[in-house]
Amino acid sequence: LGFFLLPFRPFAVNDLVFSGHIGIYLLIFYTAWHWPDRIRLALVGFIILMMYGLIATREHYTIDLLLAIPCSFFAYSVAKFLLVQLSRTRLVRSVAS
């Protein structure tokens, strides 16, 4: 994010309270608002299919999957807010110079 490092390790999501499997794909969905609707709809279908698969194979509890929705949206919102604030401060500094 510019002022500190956030390492992305998709293999280390098994220690979370919510499902990292669903959370990562929801983050992709949130950031893909400009993609064609067909691709976004296919992504939603894949997420739903993955949710069913995780429940059917008893890999996750239902609450783990449902908690991924607000948690990933909160993470997306915080990251977006921080990036907007960072870009504003850089813009102000460049205009002031």
Side-chain angles (χ1 to χ4, degrees):
L1 295 176
F3 47 89
F4 60 93
L5 177 66
L6 291 176
F8 179 72
R9 295 185 178 105
F11 57 85
V13 295
N14 59 350
D15 58 341
L16 303 173
V17 173
F18 59 91
S19 172
H21 299 96
I22 302 300
I24 288 174
Y25 285 99
L26 284 173
L27 287 173
I28 293 170
F29 176 75
Y30 297 145
T31 58
W33 59 269
H34 63 281
W35 290 5
D37 290 340
R38 292 181 319 199
I39 296 174
R40 291 187 69 206
L41 186 61
L43 184 60
V44 169
F46 175 74
I47 292 170
I48 291 170
L49 185 65
M50 186 170 38
M51 289 175 96
Y52 172 74
L54 289 170
I55 291 173
T57 59
R58 298 177 186 223
E59 181 111 2
H60 286 289
Y61 294 112
T62 305
I63 192 68
D64 295 343
L65 304 178
L66 294 178
L67 277 175
I69 297 169
C71 290
S72 62
F73 184 74
F74 176 73
Y76 168 76
S77 300
V78 169
K80 183 178 175 183
F81 173 78
L82 290 174
L83 289 172
V84 166
Q85 295 303 316
L86 182 64
S87 68
R88 285 183 183 167
T89 57
R90 288 187 179 177
L91 180 64
V92 169
R93 287 183 197 157
S94 66
V95 171
S97 307

